mmCIF file of all heavy atoms in Angstrom:
data_model
loop_
_atom_site.group_PDB
_atom_site.id
_atom_site.type_symbol
_atom_site.label_atom_id
_atom_site.label_comp_id
_atom_site.label_asym_id
_atom_site.label_seq_id
_atom_site.Cartn_x
_atom_site.Cartn_y
_atom_site.Cartn_z
ATOM 1 N N VAL M 1 0.844 -1.201 0.000
ATOM 2 C CA VAL M 1 0.000 0.000 0.000
ATOM 3 C C VAL M 1 0.877 1.249 0.000
ATOM 4 O O VAL M 1 0.632 2.206 -0.757
ATOM 5 C CB VAL M 1 -0.978 -0.012 1.202
ATOM 6 C CG1 VAL M 1 -1.653 1.342 1.381
ATOM 7 C CG2 VAL M 1 -2.021 -1.103 1.016
ATOM 8 N N LEU M 2 1.903 1.266 0.854
ATOM 9 C CA LEU M 2 2.805 2.430 0.900
ATOM 10 C C LEU M 2 3.523 2.631 -0.433
ATOM 11 O O LEU M 2 3.661 3.765 -0.904
ATOM 12 C CB LEU M 2 3.809 2.277 2.040
ATOM 13 C CG LEU M 2 3.237 2.424 3.447
ATOM 14 C CD1 LEU M 2 4.308 2.125 4.489
ATOM 15 C CD2 LEU M 2 2.641 3.806 3.643
ATOM 16 N N LEU M 3 3.982 1.553 -1.046
ATOM 17 C CA LEU M 3 4.645 1.655 -2.347
ATOM 18 C C LEU M 3 3.683 2.199 -3.399
ATOM 19 O O LEU M 3 4.033 3.068 -4.195
ATOM 20 C CB LEU M 3 5.199 0.297 -2.777
ATOM 21 C CG LEU M 3 5.917 0.263 -4.128
ATOM 22 C CD1 LEU M 3 7.148 1.175 -4.100
ATOM 23 C CD2 LEU M 3 6.321 -1.160 -4.476
ATOM 24 N N PHE M 4 2.455 1.706 -3.392
ATOM 25 C CA PHE M 4 1.443 2.192 -4.328
ATOM 26 C C PHE M 4 1.202 3.688 -4.132
ATOM 27 O O PHE M 4 1.128 4.455 -5.099
ATOM 28 C CB PHE M 4 0.145 1.397 -4.132
ATOM 29 C CG PHE M 4 -0.975 1.853 -5.007
ATOM 30 C CD1 PHE M 4 -0.993 1.540 -6.356
ATOM 31 C CD2 PHE M 4 -2.011 2.628 -4.488
ATOM 32 C CE1 PHE M 4 -2.026 1.967 -7.179
ATOM 33 C CE2 PHE M 4 -3.036 3.061 -5.301
ATOM 34 C CZ PHE M 4 -3.054 2.737 -6.650
ATOM 35 N N LEU M 5 1.092 4.130 -2.878
ATOM 36 C CA LEU M 5 0.893 5.558 -2.594
ATOM 37 C C LEU M 5 2.106 6.389 -3.032
ATOM 38 O O LEU M 5 1.952 7.483 -3.591
ATOM 39 C CB LEU M 5 0.613 5.772 -1.107
ATOM 40 C CG LEU M 5 -0.731 5.248 -0.598
ATOM 41 C CD1 LEU M 5 -0.812 5.367 0.916
ATOM 42 C CD2 LEU M 5 -1.879 5.977 -1.277
ATOM 43 N N PHE M 6 3.323 5.881 -2.787
ATOM 44 C CA PHE M 6 4.546 6.576 -3.171
ATOM 45 C C PHE M 6 4.605 6.758 -4.690
ATOM 46 O O PHE M 6 4.875 7.852 -5.193
ATOM 47 C CB PHE M 6 5.769 5.788 -2.676
ATOM 48 C CG PHE M 6 7.081 6.376 -3.059
ATOM 49 C CD1 PHE M 6 7.620 7.439 -2.349
ATOM 50 C CD2 PHE M 6 7.813 5.862 -4.125
ATOM 51 C CE1 PHE M 6 8.846 7.980 -2.695
ATOM 52 C CE2 PHE M 6 9.038 6.393 -4.477
ATOM 53 C CZ PHE M 6 9.553 7.459 -3.755
ATOM 54 N N ILE M 7 4.340 5.696 -5.428
ATOM 55 C CA ILE M 7 4.377 5.771 -6.896
ATOM 56 C C ILE M 7 3.235 6.647 -7.411
ATOM 57 O O ILE M 7 3.420 7.461 -8.311
ATOM 58 C CB ILE M 7 4.350 4.363 -7.513
ATOM 59 C CG1 ILE M 7 5.675 3.653 -7.217
ATOM 60 C CG2 ILE M 7 4.097 4.422 -9.017
ATOM 61 C CD1 ILE M 7 5.727 2.211 -7.639
ATOM 62 N N GLY M 8 2.060 6.515 -6.820
ATOM 63 C CA GLY M 8 0.931 7.345 -7.225
ATOM 64 C C GLY M 8 1.220 8.824 -7.033
ATOM 65 O O GLY M 8 0.921 9.651 -7.901
ATOM 66 N N ALA M 9 1.819 9.175 -5.893
ATOM 67 C CA ALA M 9 2.184 10.574 -5.647
ATOM 68 C C ALA M 9 3.251 11.021 -6.647
ATOM 69 O O ALA M 9 3.240 12.169 -7.111
ATOM 70 C CB ALA M 9 2.692 10.741 -4.219
ATOM 71 N N GLY M 10 4.162 10.133 -7.010
ATOM 72 C CA GLY M 10 5.192 10.465 -7.996
ATOM 73 C C GLY M 10 4.603 10.826 -9.343
ATOM 74 O O GLY M 10 5.083 11.724 -10.033
ATOM 75 N N PHE M 11 3.534 10.149 -9.742
ATOM 76 C CA PHE M 11 2.863 10.483 -10.999
ATOM 77 C C PHE M 11 2.242 11.873 -10.936
ATOM 78 O O PHE M 11 2.115 12.552 -11.944
ATOM 79 C CB PHE M 11 1.791 9.450 -11.356
ATOM 80 C CG PHE M 11 2.325 8.240 -12.047
ATOM 81 C CD1 PHE M 11 2.218 6.991 -11.456
ATOM 82 C CD2 PHE M 11 2.933 8.330 -13.285
ATOM 83 C CE1 PHE M 11 2.707 5.856 -12.081
ATOM 84 C CE2 PHE M 11 3.429 7.199 -13.925
ATOM 85 C CZ PHE M 11 3.306 5.963 -13.323
ATOM 86 N N ALA M 12 1.823 12.289 -9.740
ATOM 87 C CA ALA M 12 1.191 13.597 -9.581
ATOM 88 C C ALA M 12 2.217 14.740 -9.555
ATOM 89 O O ALA M 12 1.861 15.892 -9.780
ATOM 90 C CB ALA M 12 0.360 13.624 -8.303
ATOM 91 N N LEU M 13 3.475 14.426 -9.288
ATOM 92 C CA LEU M 13 4.503 15.467 -9.225
ATOM 93 C C LEU M 13 4.916 15.906 -10.629
ATOM 94 O O LEU M 13 4.955 15.086 -11.546
ATOM 95 C CB LEU M 13 5.745 14.941 -8.491
ATOM 96 C CG LEU M 13 5.556 14.634 -7.017
ATOM 97 C CD1 LEU M 13 6.807 13.951 -6.471
ATOM 98 C CD2 LEU M 13 5.268 15.911 -6.237
ATOM 99 N N PRO M 14 5.249 17.186 -10.785
ATOM 100 C CA PRO M 14 5.737 17.620 -12.098
ATOM 101 C C PRO M 14 7.127 17.043 -12.344
ATOM 102 O O PRO M 14 7.940 16.957 -11.441
ATOM 103 C CB PRO M 14 5.779 19.139 -11.985
ATOM 104 C CG PRO M 14 5.934 19.403 -10.515
ATOM 105 C CD PRO M 14 5.215 18.281 -9.820
ATOM 106 N N GLY M 15 7.395 16.654 -13.560
ATOM 107 C CA GLY M 15 8.711 16.121 -13.910
ATOM 108 C C GLY M 15 9.610 17.194 -14.503
ATOM 109 O O GLY M 15 10.642 16.880 -15.078
ATOM 110 N N THR M 16 9.225 18.447 -14.358
ATOM 111 C CA THR M 16 9.996 19.542 -14.960
ATOM 112 C C THR M 16 10.774 20.300 -13.902
ATOM 113 O O THR M 16 10.444 20.262 -12.719
ATOM 114 C CB THR M 16 9.064 20.523 -15.699
ATOM 115 O OG1 THR M 16 8.117 21.043 -14.762
ATOM 116 C CG2 THR M 16 8.335 19.822 -16.836
ATOM 117 N N TRP M 17 11.800 21.003 -14.344
ATOM 118 C CA TRP M 17 12.618 21.817 -13.449
ATOM 119 C C TRP M 17 13.199 22.990 -14.218
ATOM 120 O O TRP M 17 13.228 22.987 -15.449
ATOM 121 C CB TRP M 17 13.731 20.979 -12.810
ATOM 122 C CG TRP M 17 14.549 20.191 -13.782
ATOM 123 C CD1 TRP M 17 14.305 18.922 -14.204
ATOM 124 C CD2 TRP M 17 15.712 20.624 -14.484
ATOM 125 N NE1 TRP M 17 15.250 18.545 -15.118
ATOM 126 C CE2 TRP M 17 16.132 19.563 -15.303
ATOM 127 C CE3 TRP M 17 16.446 21.799 -14.493
ATOM 128 C CZ2 TRP M 17 17.250 19.647 -16.124
ATOM 129 C CZ3 TRP M 17 17.562 21.874 -15.312
ATOM 130 C CH2 TRP M 17 17.953 20.803 -16.115
ATOM 131 N N GLU M 18 13.637 24.003 -13.477
ATOM 132 C CA GLU M 18 14.299 25.179 -14.034
ATOM 133 C C GLU M 18 15.508 25.496 -13.166
ATOM 134 O O GLU M 18 15.439 25.383 -11.954
ATOM 135 C CB GLU M 18 13.360 26.390 -14.032
ATOM 136 C CG GLU M 18 12.169 26.241 -14.924
ATOM 137 C CD GLU M 18 11.260 27.468 -14.884
ATOM 138 O OE1 GLU M 18 11.624 28.480 -14.234
ATOM 139 O OE2 GLU M 18 10.191 27.411 -15.493
ATOM 140 N N ALA M 19 16.589 25.898 -13.796
ATOM 141 C CA ALA M 19 17.799 26.260 -13.062
ATOM 142 C C ALA M 19 18.413 27.509 -13.688
ATOM 143 O O ALA M 19 18.236 27.752 -14.885
ATOM 144 C CB ALA M 19 18.802 25.107 -13.081
ATOM 145 N N ARG M 20 19.124 28.270 -12.858
ATOM 146 C CA ARG M 20 19.747 29.510 -13.330
ATOM 147 C C ARG M 20 21.100 29.711 -12.666
ATOM 148 O O ARG M 20 21.302 29.332 -11.524
ATOM 149 C CB ARG M 20 18.874 30.712 -12.984
ATOM 150 C CG ARG M 20 17.600 30.786 -13.765
ATOM 151 C CD ARG M 20 16.716 31.940 -13.293
ATOM 152 N NE ARG M 20 15.535 32.046 -14.106
ATOM 153 C CZ ARG M 20 14.517 31.207 -14.082
ATOM 154 N NH1 ARG M 20 14.550 30.178 -13.280
ATOM 155 N NH2 ARG M 20 13.465 31.381 -14.858
ATOM 156 N N GLY M 21 21.981 30.340 -13.408
ATOM 157 C CA GLY M 21 23.262 30.751 -12.871
ATOM 158 C C GLY M 21 23.659 32.080 -13.509
ATOM 159 O O GLY M 21 23.342 32.324 -14.675
ATOM 160 N N THR M 22 24.313 32.932 -12.745
ATOM 161 C CA THR M 22 24.758 34.232 -13.244
ATOM 162 C C THR M 22 26.134 34.521 -12.673
ATOM 163 O O THR M 22 26.402 34.216 -11.513
ATOM 164 C CB THR M 22 23.779 35.349 -12.812
ATOM 165 O OG1 THR M 22 22.484 35.036 -13.294
ATOM 166 C CG2 THR M 22 24.198 36.693 -13.367
ATOM 167 N N ARG M 23 26.980 35.123 -13.503
ATOM 168 C CA ARG M 23 28.324 35.495 -13.041
ATOM 169 C C ARG M 23 28.853 36.619 -13.919
ATOM 170 O O ARG M 23 28.654 36.612 -15.123
ATOM 171 C CB ARG M 23 29.254 34.298 -13.116
ATOM 172 C CG ARG M 23 30.614 34.540 -12.477
ATOM 173 C CD ARG M 23 31.417 33.248 -12.475
ATOM 174 N NE ARG M 23 32.553 33.342 -11.602
ATOM 175 C CZ ARG M 23 32.562 33.034 -10.320
ATOM 176 N NH1 ARG M 23 31.469 32.614 -9.743
ATOM 177 N NH2 ARG M 23 33.659 33.145 -9.614
ATOM 178 N N VAL M 24 29.540 37.572 -13.289
ATOM 179 C CA VAL M 24 30.229 38.613 -14.044
ATOM 180 C C VAL M 24 31.660 38.139 -14.251
ATOM 181 O O VAL M 24 32.352 37.779 -13.301
ATOM 182 C CB VAL M 24 30.200 39.970 -13.312
ATOM 183 C CG1 VAL M 24 31.071 40.987 -14.038
ATOM 184 C CG2 VAL M 24 28.772 40.473 -13.190
ATOM 185 N N ILE M 25 32.078 38.118 -15.516
ATOM 186 C CA ILE M 25 33.424 37.665 -15.880
ATOM 187 C C ILE M 25 34.159 38.825 -16.527
ATOM 188 O O ILE M 25 33.619 39.491 -17.411
ATOM 189 C CB ILE M 25 33.347 36.453 -16.837
ATOM 190 C CG1 ILE M 25 32.644 35.286 -16.124
ATOM 191 C CG2 ILE M 25 34.741 36.043 -17.314
ATOM 192 C CD1 ILE M 25 32.425 34.059 -16.983
ATOM 193 N N GLU M 26 35.377 39.049 -16.085
ATOM 194 C CA GLU M 26 36.174 40.161 -16.604
ATOM 195 C C GLU M 26 36.759 39.806 -17.962
ATOM 196 O O GLU M 26 37.971 39.595 -18.106
ATOM 197 C CB GLU M 26 37.257 40.546 -15.603
ATOM 198 C CG GLU M 26 36.686 41.133 -14.334
ATOM 199 C CD GLU M 26 37.768 41.533 -13.334
ATOM 200 O OE1 GLU M 26 38.965 41.531 -13.689
ATOM 201 O OE2 GLU M 26 37.392 41.845 -12.198
ATOM 202 N N ALA M 27 35.887 39.753 -18.941
ATOM 203 C CA ALA M 27 36.265 39.476 -20.333
ATOM 204 C C ALA M 27 35.126 40.001 -21.199
ATOM 205 O O ALA M 27 33.970 39.990 -20.776
ATOM 206 C CB ALA M 27 36.471 37.984 -20.555
ATOM 207 N N PRO M 28 35.428 40.432 -22.414
ATOM 208 C CA PRO M 28 34.360 40.908 -23.294
ATOM 209 C C PRO M 28 33.510 39.747 -23.806
ATOM 210 O O PRO M 28 33.971 38.600 -23.860
ATOM 211 C CB PRO M 28 35.120 41.588 -24.433
ATOM 212 C CG PRO M 28 36.463 40.951 -24.434
ATOM 213 C CD PRO M 28 36.762 40.568 -23.015
ATOM 214 N N PRO M 29 32.265 40.027 -24.208
ATOM 215 C CA PRO M 29 31.391 38.957 -24.708
ATOM 216 C C PRO M 29 32.032 38.153 -25.845
ATOM 217 O O PRO M 29 31.888 36.929 -25.889
ATOM 218 C CB PRO M 29 30.147 39.703 -25.200
ATOM 219 C CG PRO M 29 30.113 40.949 -24.377
ATOM 220 C CD PRO M 29 31.555 41.312 -24.162
ATOM 221 N N GLU M 30 32.736 38.821 -26.750
ATOM 222 C CA GLU M 30 33.345 38.125 -27.891
ATOM 223 C C GLU M 30 34.340 37.060 -27.421
ATOM 224 O O GLU M 30 34.444 35.978 -28.006
ATOM 225 C CB GLU M 30 34.024 39.135 -28.809
ATOM 226 C CG GLU M 30 34.478 38.558 -30.126
ATOM 227 C CD GLU M 30 33.340 38.068 -31.016
ATOM 228 O OE1 GLU M 30 32.315 38.760 -31.137
ATOM 229 O OE2 GLU M 30 33.488 36.966 -31.587
ATOM 230 N N ALA M 31 35.078 37.342 -26.348
ATOM 231 C CA ALA M 31 36.049 36.374 -25.828
ATOM 232 C C ALA M 31 35.354 35.162 -25.206
ATOM 233 O O ALA M 31 35.875 34.046 -25.260
ATOM 234 C CB ALA M 31 36.953 37.040 -24.800
ATOM 235 N N LEU M 32 34.187 35.363 -24.630
ATOM 236 C CA LEU M 32 33.452 34.256 -24.006
ATOM 237 C C LEU M 32 32.668 33.445 -25.023
ATOM 238 O O LEU M 32 32.458 32.244 -24.839
ATOM 239 C CB LEU M 32 32.491 34.804 -22.947
ATOM 240 C CG LEU M 32 33.141 35.513 -21.769
ATOM 241 C CD1 LEU M 32 32.076 36.125 -20.878
ATOM 242 C CD2 LEU M 32 34.034 34.562 -20.994
ATOM 243 N N PHE M 33 32.245 34.092 -26.092
ATOM 244 C CA PHE M 33 31.367 33.440 -27.053
ATOM 245 C C PHE M 33 31.999 32.187 -27.661
ATOM 246 O O PHE M 33 31.314 31.201 -27.911
ATOM 247 C CB PHE M 33 30.978 34.430 -28.163
ATOM 248 C CG PHE M 33 29.825 33.964 -28.983
ATOM 249 C CD1 PHE M 33 28.530 34.103 -28.519
ATOM 250 C CD2 PHE M 33 30.022 33.373 -30.218
ATOM 251 C CE1 PHE M 33 27.449 33.670 -29.274
ATOM 252 C CE2 PHE M 33 28.957 32.940 -30.981
ATOM 253 C CZ PHE M 33 27.663 33.089 -30.504
ATOM 254 N N GLY M 34 33.310 32.197 -27.867
ATOM 255 C CA GLY M 34 34.002 31.039 -28.425
ATOM 256 C C GLY M 34 33.936 29.794 -27.548
ATOM 257 O O GLY M 34 34.148 28.680 -28.017
ATOM 258 N N PHE M 35 33.607 29.962 -26.271
ATOM 259 C CA PHE M 35 33.441 28.816 -25.368
ATOM 260 C C PHE M 35 31.998 28.317 -25.348
ATOM 261 O O PHE M 35 31.691 27.345 -24.674
ATOM 262 C CB PHE M 35 33.837 29.199 -23.939
ATOM 263 C CG PHE M 35 35.289 29.520 -23.798
ATOM 264 C CD1 PHE M 35 35.708 30.834 -23.700
ATOM 265 C CD2 PHE M 35 36.242 28.515 -23.782
ATOM 266 C CE1 PHE M 35 37.048 31.141 -23.574
ATOM 267 C CE2 PHE M 35 37.583 28.815 -23.655
ATOM 268 C CZ PHE M 35 37.992 30.129 -23.555
ATOM 269 N N LEU M 36 31.103 28.986 -26.078
ATOM 270 C CA LEU M 36 29.675 28.691 -26.009
ATOM 271 C C LEU M 36 29.058 28.201 -27.305
ATOM 272 O O LEU M 36 28.030 27.534 -27.283
ATOM 273 C CB LEU M 36 28.911 29.952 -25.569
ATOM 274 C CG LEU M 36 29.326 30.563 -24.238
ATOM 275 C CD1 LEU M 36 28.629 31.894 -24.047
ATOM 276 C CD2 LEU M 36 29.018 29.610 -23.104
ATOM 277 N N ASP M 37 29.628 28.553 -28.447
ATOM 278 C CA ASP M 37 28.945 28.279 -29.714
ATOM 279 C C ASP M 37 29.350 26.965 -30.367
ATOM 280 O O ASP M 37 28.969 26.688 -31.492
ATOM 281 C CB ASP M 37 29.122 29.438 -30.693
ATOM 282 C CG ASP M 37 30.542 29.573 -31.200
ATOM 283 O OD1 ASP M 37 31.475 29.065 -30.535
ATOM 284 O OD2 ASP M 37 30.726 30.204 -32.259
ATOM 285 N N GLY M 38 30.091 26.126 -29.641
ATOM 286 C CA GLY M 38 30.483 24.827 -30.172
ATOM 287 C C GLY M 38 30.770 23.843 -29.048
ATOM 288 O O GLY M 38 31.185 24.230 -27.956
ATOM 289 N N PRO M 39 30.563 22.556 -29.296
ATOM 290 C CA PRO M 39 30.776 21.542 -28.264
ATOM 291 C C PRO M 39 32.189 21.534 -27.673
ATOM 292 O O PRO M 39 32.359 21.322 -26.475
ATOM 293 C CB PRO M 39 30.478 20.223 -28.982
ATOM 294 C CG PRO M 39 29.556 20.599 -30.093
ATOM 295 C CD PRO M 39 29.995 21.967 -30.514
ATOM 296 N N GLU M 40 33.210 21.764 -28.487
ATOM 297 C CA GLU M 40 34.580 21.735 -27.947
ATOM 298 C C GLU M 40 34.789 22.843 -26.928
ATOM 299 O O GLU M 40 35.504 22.666 -25.944
ATOM 300 C CB GLU M 40 35.611 21.806 -29.069
ATOM 301 C CG GLU M 40 35.795 20.488 -29.795
ATOM 302 C CD GLU M 40 36.106 19.317 -28.862
ATOM 303 O OE1 GLU M 40 37.009 19.432 -28.005
ATOM 304 O OE2 GLU M 40 35.433 18.283 -28.987
ATOM 305 N N GLY M 41 34.186 23.993 -27.148
ATOM 306 C CA GLY M 41 34.257 25.074 -26.164
ATOM 307 C C GLY M 41 33.602 24.669 -24.856
ATOM 308 O O GLY M 41 34.145 24.899 -23.778
ATOM 309 N N TRP M 42 32.437 24.037 -24.936
ATOM 310 C CA TRP M 42 31.741 23.587 -23.728
ATOM 311 C C TRP M 42 32.554 22.551 -22.964
ATOM 312 O O TRP M 42 32.544 22.538 -21.735
ATOM 313 C CB TRP M 42 30.368 23.006 -24.095
ATOM 314 C CG TRP M 42 29.339 24.053 -24.366
ATOM 315 C CD1 TRP M 42 29.189 24.763 -25.513
ATOM 316 C CD2 TRP M 42 28.338 24.518 -23.474
ATOM 317 N NE1 TRP M 42 28.145 25.636 -25.393
ATOM 318 C CE2 TRP M 42 27.596 25.497 -24.152
ATOM 319 C CE3 TRP M 42 27.984 24.186 -22.170
ATOM 320 C CZ2 TRP M 42 26.526 26.166 -23.557
ATOM 321 C CZ3 TRP M 42 26.904 24.842 -21.590
ATOM 322 C CH2 TRP M 42 26.202 25.820 -22.280
ATOM 323 N N ARG M 43 33.252 21.693 -23.662
ATOM 324 C CA ARG M 43 34.052 20.651 -22.992
ATOM 325 C C ARG M 43 35.184 21.249 -22.175
ATOM 326 O O ARG M 43 35.685 20.611 -21.254
ATOM 327 C CB ARG M 43 34.610 19.668 -24.021
ATOM 328 C CG ARG M 43 33.494 18.785 -24.597
ATOM 329 C CD ARG M 43 34.031 17.646 -25.378
ATOM 330 N NE ARG M 43 34.679 16.717 -24.440
ATOM 331 C CZ ARG M 43 35.499 15.770 -24.820
ATOM 332 N NH1 ARG M 43 35.784 15.604 -26.090
ATOM 333 N NH2 ARG M 43 36.045 14.968 -23.940
ATOM 334 N N ARG M 44 35.575 22.465 -22.475
ATOM 335 C CA ARG M 44 36.675 23.100 -21.720
ATOM 336 C C ARG M 44 36.234 23.570 -20.344
ATOM 337 O O ARG M 44 37.067 23.735 -19.461
ATOM 338 C CB ARG M 44 37.253 24.271 -22.508
ATOM 339 C CG ARG M 44 37.860 23.794 -23.801
ATOM 340 C CD ARG M 44 39.091 24.457 -24.291
ATOM 341 N NE ARG M 44 39.979 25.056 -23.356
ATOM 342 C CZ ARG M 44 40.572 26.224 -23.558
ATOM 343 N NH1 ARG M 44 40.324 26.905 -24.665
ATOM 344 N NH2 ARG M 44 41.409 26.717 -22.678
ATOM 345 N N TRP M 45 34.935 23.810 -20.155
ATOM 346 C CA TRP M 45 34.517 24.369 -18.864
ATOM 347 C C TRP M 45 33.337 23.655 -18.209
ATOM 348 O O TRP M 45 32.939 24.009 -17.104
ATOM 349 C CB TRP M 45 34.225 25.860 -19.002
ATOM 350 C CG TRP M 45 33.132 26.212 -19.969
ATOM 351 C CD1 TRP M 45 33.219 26.278 -21.325
ATOM 352 C CD2 TRP M 45 31.776 26.541 -19.642
ATOM 353 N NE1 TRP M 45 32.008 26.626 -21.859
ATOM 354 C CE2 TRP M 45 31.103 26.809 -20.850
ATOM 355 C CE3 TRP M 45 31.074 26.654 -18.453
ATOM 356 C CZ2 TRP M 45 29.777 27.168 -20.907
ATOM 357 C CZ3 TRP M 45 29.740 27.010 -18.499
ATOM 358 C CH2 TRP M 45 29.114 27.267 -19.732
ATOM 359 N N THR M 46 32.793 22.630 -18.853
ATOM 360 C CA THR M 46 31.732 21.832 -18.232
ATOM 361 C C THR M 46 32.131 20.358 -18.270
ATOM 362 O O THR M 46 33.053 19.976 -18.987
ATOM 363 C CB THR M 46 30.385 22.030 -18.965
ATOM 364 O OG1 THR M 46 30.537 21.693 -20.343
ATOM 365 C CG2 THR M 46 29.885 23.458 -18.838
#
């Protein structure tokens, strides 16, 4: 019964989420953009 209630409540929960991050970096946008517009750039910092 408890397992059924746990799973039933799980179906009622939203499966979505939102996340945010902000940071000021001492570099111009053009210098940062090269780390964002391609997968190899992302691999350097994530």
Side-chain angles (χ1 to χ4, degrees):
V1 168
L2 289 175
L3 180 62
F4 178 75
L5 291 173
F6 178 80
I7 291 174
F11 277 117
L13 294 172
T16 59
W17 51 270
E18 295 180 6
R20 290 175 177 72
T22 302
R23 188 174 194 89
V24 173
I25 298 176
E26 293 181 10
E30 190 64 43
L32 297 174
F33 195 80
F35 294 103
L36 303 172
D37 69 339
E40 283 307 311
W42 282 80
R43 289 192 69 195
R44 297 217 27 221
W45 60 281
T46 57

